[in-house]
Amino acid sequence: MTRRALLVPLATALAAALLVARVTWDSDTFQHCRYLGPSARMYATSWAGLACAVAALLAFAALPRTERRGLTTAFAVLAVLLTPLLLASVYWLYTPDPSGGDDCSGLHLIVP
Protein backbone atom coordinates (compact mmCIF):
# COMPACT_ATOMS: atom_id res chain seq x y z
CA MET A 1 0.00 0.00 0.00
CA THR A 2 1.42 3.37 -1.02
CA ARG A 3 1.39 6.55 1.00
CA ARG A 4 -1.42 8.01 -1.07
CA ALA A 5 -3.50 4.91 -0.50
CA LEU A 6 -3.01 5.29 3.26
CA LEU A 7 -4.82 8.64 3.15
CA VAL A 8 -8.16 6.91 2.57
CA PRO A 9 -8.17 4.79 5.77
CA LEU A 10 -6.65 7.61 7.80
CA ALA A 11 -9.22 10.21 6.71
CA THR A 12 -12.09 7.73 7.12
CA ALA A 13 -11.01 6.76 10.63
CA LEU A 14 -10.69 10.42 11.55
CA ALA A 15 -14.17 11.14 10.16
CA ALA A 16 -15.64 8.28 12.21
CA ALA A 17 -13.87 9.50 15.37
CA LEU A 18 -15.18 13.03 14.81
CA LEU A 19 -18.71 11.72 14.35
CA VAL A 20 -18.48 9.84 17.64
CA ALA A 21 -17.12 12.97 19.34
CA ARG A 22 -19.97 15.04 17.89
CA VAL A 23 -22.58 12.61 19.21
CA THR A 24 -21.02 12.58 22.69
CA TRP A 25 -21.26 16.38 22.86
CA ASP A 26 -24.99 16.51 22.10
CA SER A 27 -25.66 17.33 25.75
CA ASP A 28 -23.95 20.71 25.26
CA THR A 29 -27.15 22.23 23.88
CA PHE A 30 -29.11 22.29 27.15
CA GLN A 31 -28.04 23.28 30.64
CA HIS A 32 -30.50 23.60 33.54
CA CYS A 33 -33.45 23.52 31.11
CA ARG A 34 -32.04 26.40 29.10
CA TYR A 35 -31.37 25.96 25.40
CA LEU A 36 -27.85 27.19 24.75
CA GLY A 37 -27.60 26.14 21.13
CA PRO A 38 -24.83 24.04 19.65
CA SER A 39 -21.39 24.53 21.12
CA ALA A 40 -18.33 25.50 19.14
CA ARG A 41 -16.91 22.00 19.45
CA MET A 42 -20.12 20.60 17.92
CA TYR A 43 -19.63 22.88 14.91
CA ALA A 44 -15.94 21.99 14.65
CA THR A 45 -16.43 18.23 14.85
CA SER A 46 -19.39 18.19 12.45
CA TRP A 47 -17.71 20.22 9.73
CA ALA A 48 -14.28 18.60 10.19
CA GLY A 49 -15.80 15.12 10.08
CA LEU A 50 -17.62 15.93 6.85
CA ALA A 51 -14.43 17.37 5.37
CA CYS A 52 -12.49 14.22 6.30
CA ALA A 53 -15.11 11.92 4.76
CA VAL A 54 -15.13 13.92 1.53
CA ALA A 55 -11.32 14.01 1.54
CA ALA A 56 -11.23 10.22 1.88
CA LEU A 57 -13.55 9.84 -1.10
CA LEU A 58 -11.53 12.30 -3.18
CA ALA A 59 -8.28 10.55 -2.23
CA PHE A 60 -9.81 7.23 -3.27
CA ALA A 61 -10.96 8.69 -6.58
CA ALA A 62 -7.47 10.08 -7.22
CA LEU A 63 -5.81 6.68 -6.77
CA PRO A 64 -4.85 4.67 -9.83
CA ARG A 65 -7.10 1.68 -10.49
CA THR A 66 -4.33 -0.72 -9.48
CA GLU A 67 -4.34 0.70 -5.93
CA ARG A 68 -8.13 0.67 -5.47
CA ARG A 69 -8.46 -2.72 -3.82
CA GLY A 70 -8.67 -4.45 -0.47
CA LEU A 71 -8.48 -2.31 2.62
CA THR A 72 -8.54 0.95 0.69
CA THR A 73 -11.84 0.02 -0.97
CA ALA A 74 -13.35 -1.09 2.34
CA PHE A 75 -12.53 2.26 3.94
CA ALA A 76 -13.89 4.12 0.90
CA VAL A 77 -17.19 2.25 1.30
CA LEU A 78 -17.20 3.18 4.99
CA ALA A 79 -16.60 6.83 4.01
CA VAL A 80 -19.61 6.64 1.68
CA LEU A 81 -21.71 5.36 4.59
CA LEU A 82 -20.39 8.02 6.98
CA THR A 83 -21.03 10.93 4.62
CA PRO A 84 -24.87 11.02 5.00
CA LEU A 85 -24.53 10.72 8.77
CA LEU A 86 -22.09 13.61 8.84
CA LEU A 87 -24.32 15.63 6.54
CA ALA A 88 -27.18 15.04 8.97
CA SER A 89 -25.03 16.18 11.89
CA VAL A 90 -24.25 19.42 10.05
CA TYR A 91 -27.95 19.87 9.21
CA TRP A 92 -28.92 19.38 12.88
CA LEU A 93 -26.56 22.20 13.86
CA TYR A 94 -28.73 24.69 12.02
CA THR A 95 -32.19 23.41 12.95
CA PRO A 96 -34.31 25.61 15.22
CA ASP A 97 -34.63 25.17 18.97
CA PRO A 98 -36.38 21.81 19.46
CA SER A 99 -38.25 23.02 22.52
CA GLY A 100 -39.91 25.81 20.55
CA GLY A 101 -38.15 28.55 22.48
CA ASP A 102 -39.83 27.70 25.79
CA ASP A 103 -36.84 25.86 27.18
CA CYS A 104 -37.92 22.58 28.82
CA SER A 105 -41.63 23.23 28.50
CA GLY A 106 -42.14 19.98 26.62
CA LEU A 107 -40.99 17.92 29.59
CA HIS A 108 -44.25 18.32 31.48
CA LEU A 109 -45.87 16.00 28.96
CA ILE A 110 -43.36 13.25 29.77
CA VAL A 111 -42.56 13.81 33.42
CA PRO A 112 -45.56 13.70 35.84
Side-chain angles (χ1 to χ4, degrees), residues 2 17 23 25 35 46-47 55 60 65 69 72 80 91-92 96-98 107-108 110:
T2 64
V23 170
W25 291 327
Y35 181 72
S46 293
W47 281 106
F60 182 75
R65 288 192 185 267
R69 61 180 192 272
T72 307
V80 167
Y91 170 77
W92 288 327
D97 177 3
L107 287 180
H108 74 280
I110 300 170

Side-chain angles (χ1 to χ4, degrees), residues 11 18 23 36 48 52 56 59 66 72-73 76-77 87 90-91 95-96 102:
L18 288 167
V23 170
L36 303 175
C52 286
T66 57
T72 307
T73 303
V77 169
L87 280 170
V90 169
Y91 170 77
T95 56
D102 295 326

